[in-house]
Amino acid sequence: MKIGYACKTVGVPNTEMKSCILKNVSDSKLMDLITHNLDSLNNIIDYNISQGIPLFRISSDLIPFASHPVNSLPWHEIFAQPLADLGKKILASRMRVSMHPGQYTVLNSPDNEVTSRAIKDLHYHCQVLDALGVGPEHKVILHIGGIYQNKRLSAERFLCNFKHLDKRVRSRLVVENDDKAYNIEEVLDIGVKLGVPVVFDSLHHEINPSPAPRSQADWITVCQKTWQKEDGIPKIHYSQQDPAKKPGSHSRSIGIGQFIQFYQSIPKENIDIMLEVKDKNLSAVKIINCLCGDRDIKTLEAEWSRYKYTILECSPQAYKELRQLLCDKSQYPAMEFYTLLENALNSPREAGNCINAAQHVWGYFKNRATTAEREKFMALLQAYKLSRGTLAAVKGYLRKLTVEYRQSYLFDSYYFEL
DNA sequence: TGACGTCAAGATCCG
DNA sequence: CGGATCTTGACGTCA
């Protein structure tokens, strides 16, 4: 079983995808952006390997305006070598990758212009995976689309348009239930008719369930049967509702307790789980560390080193408890560790604790900073204390010092992200 | 016509 | 001038 995350990282340097707006597009701009994005993707892959994250969705932003007429670059040829090298690295580490066009790629639209753009976009996504040289088990995930007053006819239009896609594209496509229009039963009907694998999305299913009285585990089992040998291990999407936001909004992090409850209810074999969550790789590492019995305390210590200043900000009490939890080097208390972390991160932050944490971080610089830097930090901190300045300004300055003085321990910390 | 989702790019404001 | 903060963009559907 593989656990992974989608598109971007949190707290990993040099991994961002860059783009530009349409009116600023030029060949040279696109060349720069693609060069940068491929470098970022390479850094993401390296990070995934270093953390033992075996499943990853590549961002559609990799090639800006890829399926737009404004991009006429033969990027596929120009960047053939770096793409092939990336693919080799992915395969050598046994990582599984995927891509997922967004809600605006609609194959079943009655508007021919829309479907024609969708076809181009699907072609682009497959082209990336082809250029990487990865097999057909590295998938492109697609939703069915709109309803247009008649779901039956709209589903038939999907079937018809799908059958006209390139064979290469068809061999990579999988379909997924969405949170508004097509529930899992309807997607399964389409998937079975086309011989296309179906991805079960847990949160979409909770919001837009099929009326049929089946459990999530049952639907997953049915979906698993739509995956053939060449499609690889059946995959599902898992996410949790953000309690403060509208239905369908992904949670800040994956609650480990709720995840384990779900995990215990589903088939353990023959399944990969893609997490969709705001804290991205952080939740993936958390889940993997909790499911992996053979990791040791050093793994948690490395995690602690990245979370500690944020925890100090949230709750000095939790900070103490977590330090104590990691004292016994013969244990591997992953569940307790992450449960404590989650509780702390979910608690509201008090200014006093934030100031305390900032002063701890300042400790890295106080013996090497110039007088001007010291005065600047003190001024920002004082302004925050008096509600005349923001914590963001204080932390922004600490981040700047972190880069200037190359404090790698802080640079790898989530203090500036969480 | 605007909300929806996404979040960096771009624009503007501020000291 | 640099940094902080606000607005726009790019996509298609639906109310």
Side-chain angles (χ1 to χ4, degrees):
Chain A
M1 186 192 64
K2 290 173 155 69
I3 303 274
Y5 67 101
C7 299
K8 56 172 281 186
T9 64
V10 169
V12 185
N14 307 314
T15 58
E16 63 288 319
M17 293 291 138
K18 284 185 177 258
S19 190
C20 67
I21 59 170
L22 189 50
K23 68 171 185 185
N24 292 341
V25 170
S26 68
D27 281 3
S28 76
K29 180 84 184 168
L30 288 171
M31 285 295 294
D32 290 351
L33 290 168
I34 297 168
T35 304
H36 175 272
N37 290 348
L38 287 174
D39 183 57
S40 287
L41 178 57
N42 186 44
N43 292 335
I44 292 174
I45 300 301
D46 285 344
Y47 166 82
N48 289 347
I49 292 169
S50 78
Q51 297 295 304
I53 303 173
L55 186 69
F56 178 65
R57 179 190 302 163
I58 296 170
S59 170
S60 299
D61 297 336
L62 185 69
I63 312 292
F65 300 98
S67 60
H68 193 287
V70 80
N71 185 345
S72 58
L73 279 184
W75 58 268
H76 184 252
E77 292 160 22
I78 298 170
F79 295 95
Q81 192 60 52
L83 283 161
D85 290 344
L86 268 172
K88 279 182 199 142
K89 195 183 278 189
I90 287 164
L91 293 176
S93 68
R94 302 177 58 80
M95 192 180 303
R96 186 184 199 189
V97 295
S98 61
M99 294 191 81
H100 189 1
Q103 58 182 305
Y104 299 113
T105 302
V106 184
L107 187 60
N108 77 338
S109 174
D111 181 338
N112 287 333
E113 296 291 313
V114 172
T115 50
S116 133
R117 282 194 285 271
I119 290 164
K120 285 193 178 76
D121 203 42
L122 292 174
H123 196 261
Y124 151 63
H125 284 86
C126 292
Q127 216 173 13
V128 171
L129 297 173
D130 288 349
L132 291 172
V134 297
E137 70 276 23
H138 302 261
K139 295 298 187 188
V140 172
I141 293 99
L142 180 66
H143 292 293
I144 303 302
I147 296 174
Y148 316 97
Q149 285 103 40
N150 188 327
K151 208 182 239 186
R152 189 183 58 79
L153 286 178
S154 298
E156 273 175 22
R157 213 161 38 242
F158 184 91
L159 296 174
C160 178
N161 292 343
F162 186 95
K163 286 174 188 160
H164 287 99
L165 292 169
D166 278 6
K167 197 181 166 194
R168 298 178 78 88
V169 175
R170 289 204 312 268
S171 72
R172 286 212 193 266
L173 275 185
V174 302
V175 287
E176 180 197 347
N177 59 315
D178 66 79
D179 59 352
K180 293 205 168 63
Y182 293 88
N183 66 42
I184 190 60
E185 189 174 17
E186 294 160 338
V187 174
L188 268 163
D189 183 57
I190 290 168
V192 167
K193 279 178 181 153
L194 290 171
V196 165
V198 176
V199 165
F200 176 82
D201 183 296
S202 66
L203 186 57
H204 291 165
H205 177 70
E206 280 173 26
I207 291 161
N208 180 27
S210 149
R214 283 180 187 264
S215 66
Q216 293 211 16
D218 287 344
W219 284 118
I220 289 170
T221 305
V222 177
C223 287
Q224 281 175 315
K225 296 188 170 74
T226 63
W227 292 68
Q228 309 303 315
K229 179 119 184 156
E230 62 273 20
D231 296 315
I233 302 290
K235 184 162 60 172
I236 65 169
H237 289 175
Y238 178 81
S239 51
Q240 294 174 351
Q241 172 67 42
D242 185 323
K245 294 186 185 156
K246 62 183 58 186
S249 297
H250 293 156
S251 60
R252 185 192 58 73
S253 185
I254 298 290
I256 186 64
Q258 194 183 327
F259 175 84
I260 295 294
Q261 222 175 359
F262 170 80
Y263 178 72
Q264 284 171 347
S265 76
I266 62 167
K268 304 285 176 298
E269 299 298 316
N270 203 30
I271 191 163
D272 285 350
I273 305 177
M274 175 63 73
L275 306 174
E276 296 179 322
V277 59
K278 298 258 184 271
D279 72 356
K280 302 291 177 181
N281 49 307
L282 306 192
S283 276
V285 168
K286 165 161 65 176
I287 304 293
I288 291 167
N289 284 346
C290 286
L291 294 184
C292 246
D294 59 350
R295 297 195 168 188
D296 71 7
I297 191 92
K298 286 195 171 60
T299 307
L300 298 183
E301 287 172 343
E303 283 281 88
W304 175 236
S305 73
R306 293 185 278 253
Y307 278 105
K308 61 193 287 185
Y309 294 114
T310 308
I311 299 302
L312 193 57
E313 210 174 58
C314 295
S315 162
Q317 177 62 29
Y319 184 90
K320 272 187 217 156
E321 288 172 17
L322 280 155
R323 277 184 59 167
Q324 276 167 14
L325 183 69
L326 298 182
C327 279
D328 185 348
K329 304 304 179 195
S330 66
Q331 299 290 310
Y332 181 63
M335 282 294 290
E336 295 93 319
F337 175 80
Y338 285 109
T339 304
L340 273 168
L341 267 190
E342 281 176 11
N343 288 339
L345 290 168
N346 286 334
S347 64
R349 279 170 223 200
E350 292 166 26
N353 293 335
C354 296
I355 290 164
N356 181 43
Q359 280 166 334
H360 267 76
V361 173
W362 170 250
Y364 284 85
F365 308 109
K366 68 177 179 190
N367 291 330
R368 64 192 101 211
T370 65
T371 309
E373 286 169 340
R374 168 184 301 272
E375 280 170 3
K376 169 108 191 212
F377 172 72
M378 292 306 170
L380 286 169
L381 195 64
Q382 190 63 18
Y384 172 56
K385 275 185 194 170
L386 301 172
S387 304
R388 297 179 63 87
T390 62
L391 180 62
V394 175
K395 292 178 75 167
Y397 188 60
L398 286 171
R399 184 207 284 265
K400 199 177 148 222
L401 292 175
T402 298
V403 175
E404 265 176 33
Y405 287 101
R406 295 190 167 77
Q407 293 296 297
S408 60
Y409 187 86
L410 282 180
F411 204 52
D412 290 339
S413 163
Y414 303 144
Y415 176 63
F416 301 113
E417 317 289 334
L418 297 179

